[in-house]
Amino acid sequence: MHKTFLTTGNGHSEIIIPGRFEDISLFSSKENTLLLVDENVLKAYRKELSGFNVIPISVDEKQKDISQVLTIFEEFLKLEVDRSWIIIGVGGGITTDITGFVASVYLRGLKFGFVSTTLLGQVDAAIGGKNGVNFKSYKNIIGNIRQPAFVICHTDSLKTLPASVFREGFAEIIKYAFIKKPHLFDYLEMNILAALKHDPDVLEYLIYESVMAKKEIVEADEMESGDRKLLNFGHTFAHAFEKLYGISHGSAVSAGMVLAAKLSVNLGFLPEDVISKLEKLLLKAGLPVKMQYDTDELIRTMRLDKKRKGKDIQFILLEDLGKAVIKSIPVSQLKSLLNDLR
Ligand SMILES: NC(=O)c1ccc[n+]([C@@H]2O[C@H](COP(=O)([O-])OP(=O)(O)OC[C@H]3O[C@@H](n4cnc5c(N)ncnc54)[C@H](O)[C@@H]3O)[C@@H](O)[C@H]2O)c1
């Protein structure tokens, strides 16, 4: 078992890989603990979660919104939640993003932690303290940065994940390889098929390496004024794909990374062979490498995302496999660039 700590000026998270539901007892007793549980996880693990106060969470991305936040606050009032309570999100990124947000603003901030039950959650969403909900389908546009007290990566629960959801996590693992950790690319090339078959040692290694990559970046730049932006490789496009075409986060990131790599080649930053390395690995993981899009619609949506700065849109581009850079591209230049890449 790996126990690691993510420490910033703002908080301190203990991260356990691999963990189980029983590990909740390391941090709280059942009486003053309130679990916010993904509705499907609750169905699959009702017995393991019995005896806790539970609020089920609706996990449609459309319901990751302020109306669900208000419903949870109503439940907090009914349960007379006070500052002695610990709030724990149990589920994937939708559940942990909502939980972190409600817990960090209710009574000006309650103690909270996560039991992460998706691969994407364990390698990314549950780590690093970004909490939030969507507004008018703009992704995570209302939120904050507060670290959970703990993250339990429940690797055994990945066995009940639908295969398509399990695969989505590989998009974020592959992202770490291409922005910062080229050794992960070599490891993935050799071991991704074993990982897809749920080999426990391979999965544990990939989750641990991904957590360490994210921890390194977040500890250096928690509030995203510099290098934390590198974690957004593929995400400027991905958030627009999610909003416009209703696809899931991992698939959107996958297609978004390929488009960002192509943009990097077109602007003369990146050798062309890196695109095919990226595409091959994503295809092996069963992830999409191309999206049909309307250029005007895509630009309009990206302009309203959080990554806009004045008349420019910020992109994370690649200079090499394992080396990402932040570049601003004027909106006026983007149209022809994106038309070329369609
Ligand atoms: N906060 C961050 O830094 C961050 C980073 C990346 C993504 N995100 C967010 O994460 C969300 C995506 O999260 P996700 O991909 O983890 O999935 P998710 O929360 O959308 O869940 C996906 C599906 O898997 C089901 N599920 C979850 N765990 C299960 C299990 N163990 N067994 C059976 N079914 C299970 C859920 O019910 C749901 O149907 C997006 O909203 C995205 O914006 C946040």
Side-chain angles (χ1 to χ4, degrees):
M1 190 220 265
H2 299 281
K3 224 184 231 190
T4 186
F5 296 91
L6 187 156
T7 305
T8 66
N10 219 344
H12 183 70
S13 279
E14 180 166 344
I15 303 167
I16 297 179
I17 313 162
R20 304 157 306 154
F21 293 121
E22 291 87 318
D23 294 326
I24 292 174
S25 66
L26 299 172
F27 303 97
S28 68
S29 64
K30 282 189 176 173
E31 297 73 57
N32 70 341
T33 298
L34 174 58
L35 305 185
L36 306 194
V37 188
D38 172 318
E39 58 195 345
N40 295 319
V41 172
L42 190 56
K43 269 186 218 143
Y45 298 98
R46 199 174 285 278
K47 202 166 123 222
E48 289 82 345
L49 298 172
S50 66
F52 284 101
N53 297 293
V54 167
I55 299 178
I57 298 294
S58 304
V59 287
D60 184 335
E61 187 69 44
K62 288 201 185 79
Q63 287 170 285
K64 182 184 168 184
D65 67 358
I66 209 74
S67 64
Q68 180 150 212
V69 167
L70 298 179
T71 308
I72 296 167
F73 288 157
E74 298 275 352
E75 292 298 317
F76 281 7
L77 279 178
K78 274 190 218 152
L79 288 163
E80 299 182 13
V81 168
D82 63 33
R83 294 181 62 83
S84 69
W85 288 57
I86 297 181
I87 313 297
I88 304 180
V90 182
I94 290 185
T95 304
T96 54
D97 278 10
I98 294 175
T99 302
F101 182 62
V102 295
S104 60
V105 297
Y106 196 77
L107 295 177
R108 297 198 179 85
L110 301 171
K111 186 172 174 186
F112 67 98
F114 301 143
V115 180
S116 177
T117 64
T118 63
L119 183 60
L120 191 139
Q122 293 170 17
V123 300
D124 189 11
I127 312 293
K130 275 193 184 178
N131 311 300
V133 293
N134 308 328
F135 185 61
K136 304 236 180 245
S137 301
Y138 288 102
K139 290 277 301 174
N140 307 323
I141 205 162
I142 299 175
N144 60 20
I145 298 182
R146 296 279 184 289
Q147 298 302 330
F150 58 88
V151 180
I152 297 166
C153 295
H154 195 318
T155 52
D156 254 6
S157 74
L158 299 179
K159 289 182 189 138
T160 54
L161 263 188
S164 59
V165 179
F166 178 60
R167 281 198 294 270
E168 302 260 312
F170 289 93
E172 301 285 4
I173 300 174
I174 292 170
K175 175 188 81 180
Y176 295 122
F178 277 78
I179 62 167
K180 201 176 165 59
K181 299 282 172 187
H183 75 276
L184 258 187
F185 172 78
D186 300 328
Y187 184 86
L188 281 162
E189 275 212 309
M190 307 263 285
N191 295 290
I192 196 161
L193 295 179
L196 287 162
K197 288 185 189 146
H198 287 266
D199 180 311
D201 295 334
V202 173
L203 274 180
E204 192 177 320
Y205 177 81
L206 288 174
I207 295 166
Y208 179 72
E209 287 294 312
S210 300
V211 166
M212 295 309 281
K214 186 153 186 188
K215 164 187 148 78
E216 226 174 82
I217 292 177
V218 172
E219 284 184 339
D221 176 28
E222 183 185 29
M223 302 316 279
E224 200 171 294
S225 49
D227 272 6
R228 186 167 185 173
K229 291 182 184 160
L230 301 179
L231 293 170
N232 293 326
F233 175 48
H235 284 60
T236 311
F237 292 121
H239 286 167
F241 290 155
E242 282 179 79
K243 175 171 172 20
L244 289 170
Y245 310 120
I247 61 167
S248 53
H249 185 73
S251 295
V253 168
S254 177
M257 288 193 293
V258 174
L259 196 50
K262 287 182 174 168
L263 196 57
S264 312
V265 170
N266 268 26
L267 289 167
F269 297 126
L270 182 70
E272 202 161 354
D273 65 308
V274 178
I275 299 177
S276 60
K277 287 182 178 162
L278 176 61
E279 282 181 330
K280 263 192 204 157
L281 200 51
L282 292 168
L283 287 171
K284 253 192 193 176
L287 290 163
V289 294
K290 200 169 171 56
M291 278 291 299
Q292 299 298 332
Y293 57 81
D294 176 290
T295 305
D296 290 330
E297 202 174 47
L298 188 63
I299 292 175
R300 207 177 314 122
T301 308
M302 288 192 299
R303 287 194 66 213
L304 286 161
D305 195 59
K306 300 182 292 307
K307 291 156 201 78
R308 179 172 53 95
K309 259 199 156 180
K311 290 193 164 62
D312 294 354
I313 297 180
Q314 265 191 356
F315 288 91
I316 307 307
L317 301 183
L318 294 180
E319 284 187 337
D320 204 347
L321 199 169
K323 188 166 184 344
V325 285
I326 305 164
K327 297 277 176 198
S328 288
I329 303 181
V331 170
S332 55
Q333 265 184 30
L334 258 183
K335 186 165 174 169
S336 66
L337 281 166
L338 291 180
N339 276 338
D340 287 350
L341 294 175
R342 255 193 324 198

